[in-house]
């Protein structure tokens, strides 16, 4: 007898969930599918525009990846909120990410500067450059530092940030 009562309770709860949340889940899946297709088509058009303008492939791919991840992440968050998922944990993880990025601010600035130097190529290995503090010939360009050799044959590391 208890089994029948508990089965009936489970069926009632399932029915209640389908009526309240199930409809939202169903429409959420439909919105997710439509949004995913719209994002993909939009990104494809942007890629075509950039290719027709003969934009640098490295920058084109980078922008494509950033926009793809950003737009799809925003879409998923919107759909999860629509369905009724509590995103408090996500907020905590995002806050931890911000704290970590602030702690690594100098390294991230050097990394971004290194990527810009490698993509834009304002100077190459063997070029003579001057900064406010140092001057010399570029010996090596790494992702975090640029190595200079001065006239008195000293090696200087300059952060790319």
């Amino acid at each position: 007898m208890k089994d029948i009562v508990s089965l009936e309770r489970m069926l009632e709860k399932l029915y209640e969930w389908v009526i309240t949340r199930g409809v939202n889940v169903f429409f959420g899946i439909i919105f997710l599918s439509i949004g995913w297709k719209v994002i993909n088509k939009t990104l494809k058009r942007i890629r075509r525009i950039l290719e027709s303008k003969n934009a640098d492939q490295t920058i084109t791919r980078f922008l494509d990846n950033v926009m793809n991840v950003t737009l799809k992440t925003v879409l998923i968050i919107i759909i999860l909120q629509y369905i009724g998922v509590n995103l408090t944990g996500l907020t905590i993880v995002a806050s931890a990410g911000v704290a970590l990025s602030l702690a690594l601010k100098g390294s991230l600035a050097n990394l971004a500067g290194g990527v810009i130097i490698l993509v834009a190529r304002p100077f190459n290995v063997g070029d003579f450059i001057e900064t406010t503090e140092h001057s010399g010939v570029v010996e090596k360009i790494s992702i975090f530092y640029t190595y200079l050799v001065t006239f008195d044959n000293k090696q200087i590391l300059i952060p790319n940030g």
Side-chain angles (χ1 to χ4, degrees), residues 58 62 109-121 142-144 160:
T58 308
F62 177 75
N110 289 342
L111 175 68
V115 169
I116 291 170
I117 289 171
L118 293 172
V119 170
R121 301 252 184 227
S142 74
I143 201 74
F144 291 105
N160 289 334

Side-chain angles (χ1 to χ4, degrees), residues 9-143:
R9 276 186 160 167
M10 285 176 44
L11 288 175
E12 285 176 15
K13 287 186 179 188
L14 177 64
Y15 178 73
E16 181 181 323
W17 183 86
V18 167
I19 295 297
T20 57
R21 302 274 187 194
V23 174
N24 287 352
V25 170
F26 175 75
F27 283 115
I29 292 170
I30 290 174
F31 295 148
L32 181 67
S33 174
I34 292 169
W36 209 267
K37 289 178 183 178
V38 168
I39 289 170
N40 287 336
K41 285 185 180 186
T42 303
L43 291 176
K44 194 174 185 179
R45 286 183 184 155
I46 291 171
R47 262 184 255 124
R48 283 187 196 149
I49 291 170
L50 290 174
E51 287 172 1
S52 70
K53 301 287 183 186
N54 294 325
D56 183 29
Q57 287 295 317
T58 308
I59 295 172
T60 301
R61 288 181 187 151
F62 177 75
L63 287 174
D64 184 52
N65 287 335
V66 168
M67 288 188 303
N68 189 17
V69 169
T70 303
L71 291 173
K72 288 181 179 176
T73 301
V74 169
L75 176 67
I76 289 170
I77 290 171
I78 290 170
I79 297 299
L80 288 174
Q81 286 180 336
Y82 174 77
I83 290 172
V85 175
N86 186 358
L87 298 177
T88 305
L90 182 64
T91 306
I92 292 170
V93 170
S95 299
V98 168
L100 182 63
S101 67
L102 287 174
L104 298 173
K105 182 174 73 170
S107 296
L108 291 174
N110 289 342
L111 175 68
V115 169
I116 291 170
I117 289 171
L118 293 172
V119 170
R121 301 252 184 227
F123 52 84
N124 294 312
V125 173
D127 288 352
F128 176 81
I129 63 169
E130 281 187 69
T131 67
T132 55
E133 298 174 10
H134 305 287
S135 62
V137 176
V138 177
E139 179 183 40
K140 178 181 172 186
I141 302 170
S142 74
I143 201 74

